[in-house]
Amino acid sequence: MNEMDKQDMEQIYENNVKAVYKYLFCLTHNADISEELTQETFYQATRGIEKFRGDCKVSVWLCQIAKRLWHRELGRRQKQQVSVDELNKEIPSYENIENDYLLNIEKVELFKQLHYFDEQTKEVIYLRLTGELSFAEIGDILGKSETWARVTFYRGKQKLVKGRKEWDKN
């Protein structure tokens, strides 16, 4: 990579590192994994910058790389088996499980409702609520406009509110 490419990649990193990290955090729900995958994303982007065709925004391209890396990581994790020592380290008490369940019951209901949404609406809601991304950032990541992200989130929120009213009746 020549000096100009290094400067370009540094600028790309500065402009996109927060968005890529937030996107990965929405997927992983883990700060350490998100940080590690963010660094790997930019490493892969640096190695493959010549493959970027320019038919989408750089942030979208980077998030595609990040998503591919996350799916690869999930595959690795599924192949790993838990050792007996790890199982015996800490078994939570029944009281802790019960308290956690009661505290998270609304969250569980929310995620149950989200399960029935179409993929794009679900992703917009996850990115907005768990990643705390702006609508402009969500639009960039998904290759859509900020207005599209706002409307999709609003419609999804309306469906959730309607579902919430149904939960309260039961």
Side-chain angles (χ1 to χ4, degrees), residues 55-109:
D55 55 354
C56 65
K57 292 184 177 186
V58 174
S59 60
V60 173
W61 176 65
L62 290 168
C63 287
Q64 289 169 346
I65 294 170
K67 190 173 191 176
R68 188 186 77 238
L69 290 170
W70 171 235
H71 286 287
R72 187 184 308 158
E73 179 69 20
L74 285 175
R76 283 189 201 131
R77 288 170 180 260
Q78 289 174 348
K79 290 179 182 176
Q80 293 175 347
Q81 293 185 355
V82 179
S83 72
V84 174
D85 292 338
E86 289 174 341
L87 288 174
N88 291 329
K89 279 184 184 175
E90 184 178 330
I91 299 174
S93 70
Y94 177 75
E95 293 80 22
N96 289 341
I97 293 171
E98 185 176 2
N99 288 339
D100 289 345
Y101 175 76
L102 294 174
L103 291 173
N104 291 316
I105 197 161
E106 285 187 21
K107 190 186 306 181
V108 169
E109 290 301 321

Side-chain angles (χ1 to χ4, degrees), residues 36-58:
E36 184 178 320
L37 290 175
T38 298
Q39 296 307 317
E40 182 64 19
T41 297
F42 282 95
Y43 173 72
Q44 294 294 328
T46 302
R47 289 183 60 212
I49 190 72
E50 69 281 347
K51 294 177 186 173
F52 179 63
R53 298 183 309 260
D55 55 354
C56 65
K57 292 184 177 186
V58 174

